[in-house]
Amino acid sequence: AQKITQTQPGMFVQEKEAVTLDCTYDTSDPSYGLFWYKQPSSGEMIFLIYQGSYDQQNATEGRYSLNFQKARKSANLVISASQLGDSAMYFCAMREGAYNTDKLIFGTGTRLQVFP
Amino acid sequence: DGGITQSPKYLFRKEGQNVTLSCEQNLNHDAMYWYRQDPGQGLRLIYYSQIVNDFQKGDIAEGYSVSREKKESFPLTVTSAQKNPTAFYLCASSGSGTGHQNEKLFFGSGTQLSVL
């Protein structure tokens, strides 16, 4: 079974609009972490936001927020006020277990295109 | 500046040849990882190491080998047994200990490996 599922292979959004990228996860471990990364065409992976399984509030980092719905095992990324530079691949990832050095499992990604 | 350095950026392999991809970090991180990315797909874990002189197989370890003799270095060898090595390879590291900063993976800029 897939541990991380991103069902949207591609998304379009107009500049200055908000967009939600979906991510669902599957784990029986009570301790886990959820991540979103951005990969521009240059190839490097850029960390965007992190949510711990015990965090009470949804994580926010500037224009990025994570809509964490634990019971539904959902960790959607919301980008507000989209910019042309947001066009990239976006990956959701999960770390199972309590240790920071445990491995990360990635989803297949969503390609976001922002148009003027 | 602290970071992860991968070299070379582009690498070509001849049939039956072993090649080694370099990954060096000066972040004083305990854990290091190698991921493979195929076009339009997510990242798949090849090997990871949580501490010096120890490493574990990821999901697609066949045809690859690693070593972790020093904390700073985690080279990946693509052996001749790997029949489909053409891909983008990403190295990453993460810290240990508590704190939000230690949760995320830091990535190198990647190596594109192609077969001649």
Side-chain angles (χ1 to χ4, degrees), chain A residues 40-62:
Chain A
S41 57
S42 53
E44 78 271 25
M45 297 286 284
I46 302 168
F47 168 79
L48 295 178
I49 198 166
Y50 164 79
Q51 179 87 42
S53 59
Y54 295 116
D55 293 344
Q56 295 296 313
Q57 293 187 324
N58 287 347
T60 60
E61 293 279 354

Side-chain angles (χ1 to χ4, degrees), chain B residues 42-113:
Chain B
L43 279 65
R44 291 185 290 168
L45 184 64
I46 305 173
Y47 268 98
Y48 66 109
S49 168
Q50 294 173 313
I51 198 168
V52 174
N53 292 323
D54 187 45
F55 48 82
Q56 290 79 38
K57 292 182 178 180
D59 301 318
I60 55 165
E62 185 175 350
Y64 300 96
S65 66
V66 293
S67 63
R68 187 83 187 278
E69 298 176 0
K70 298 187 299 182
K71 189 175 186 177
E72 304 80 27
S73 179
F74 191 41
L76 173 74
T77 296
V78 184
T79 74
S80 57
Q82 172 50 245
K83 298 306 180 187
N84 185 23
T86 296
F88 188 58
Y89 291 85
L90 283 159
C91 179
S93 70
S94 66
S96 59
T98 58
H100 181 182
Q101 187 63 18
N102 288 315
E103 292 289 349
K104 64 183 181 182
L105 257 62
F106 290 78
F107 282 86
S109 55
T111 293
Q112 176 64 49
L113 175 63

Side-chain angles (χ1 to χ4, degrees), chain A residues 31-102:
Chain A
S31 180
Y32 54 90
L34 297 159
F35 303 76
W36 277 92
Y37 282 85
K38 172 184 178 181
Q39 187 180 42
S41 57
S42 53
E44 78 271 25
M45 297 286 284
I46 302 168
F47 168 79
L48 295 178
I49 198 166
Y50 164 79
Q51 179 87 42
S53 59
Y54 295 116
D55 293 344
Q56 295 296 313
Q57 293 187 324
N58 287 347
T60 60
E61 293 279 354
R63 294 186 299 112
Y64 305 106
S65 61
L66 199 151
N67 184 1
F68 182 44
Q69 298 188 38
K70 198 169 183 177
R72 297 179 59 186
K73 295 188 175 179
S74 163
N76 297 341
L77 176 71
V78 180
I79 305 175
S80 63
S82 298
Q83 301 172 356
L84 295 178
D86 292 336
S87 295
M89 283 290 289
Y90 289 81
F91 292 96
C92 180
M94 176 176 66
R95 172 188 52 76
E96 289 181 294
Y99 299 103
N100 297 336
T101 53
D102 289 333

